[in-house]
Amino acid sequence: MNMHNPPHPGEFITGVYLEPNDISGRELARKLGAVASTLSRVLNGGSRISPEMALRLSKALGRSPESWLAMQDAHELWVARQHVDLKNVRRLELVV
C-alpha cells in the first residue's frame, strides 16, 4: 500500500519529538553527537538520513535504524513518483 505524501523524516522528528517537547535542533544534535548544521539540514528536509544518522536517531529517540531509513526511502520514492515519466519504459521480456 502506497502512502500519500509521506513526510520527510526531518519533518516527522520536528513534529513528533522536538516541538511537543520544546527541544531545539541544537539540543538534539548534542544528544546525537552530531554537528548542528548537519542535523539542521535533515530537519529542514535538505538532506537525507544516512545509515549513521539512523543509528544515532535510533539510540536517542527510539524506533529501529531500519524504520528511519524506510521512512526516508518512502519519502524519496513518493517524490520520485511525482516527477519521473515512465511512459517510455517498457518491460524486458526474460526467458526463465
Side-chain angles (χ1 to χ4, degrees):
M1 180 168 125
N2 294 332
M3 279 183 89
H4 176 70
N5 193 9
H8 184 279
E11 181 183 346
F12 179 81
I13 292 165
T14 299
V16 172
Y17 297 100
L18 300 184
E19 288 175 353
N21 294 289
D22 197 30
I23 298 170
S24 70
R26 201 168 283 283
E27 183 179 346
L28 177 59
R30 278 194 303 274
K31 298 287 185 186
L32 293 172
V35 177
S37 60
T38 300
L39 181 62
S40 178
R41 285 191 299 276
V42 169
L43 295 177
N44 293 323
S47 290
R48 72 180 326 274
I49 287 184
S50 66
E52 294 83 3
M53 183 63 77
L55 289 168
R56 292 170 189 267
L57 290 168
S58 178
K59 183 162 185 181
L61 299 176
R63 302 174 58 99
S64 70
E66 293 84 1
S67 72
W68 288 111
L69 294 173
M71 186 183 298
Q72 182 71 53
D73 288 344
H75 172 75
E76 289 178 2
L77 184 57
W78 185 86
V79 169
R81 282 187 170 131
Q82 308 314 303
H83 302 290
V84 175
D85 182 1
L86 300 174
K87 284 185 287 192
N88 295 322
V89 176
R90 300 287 180 253
R91 185 166 182 89
L92 180 62
E93 298 300 325
L94 301 172
V95 177
V96 250

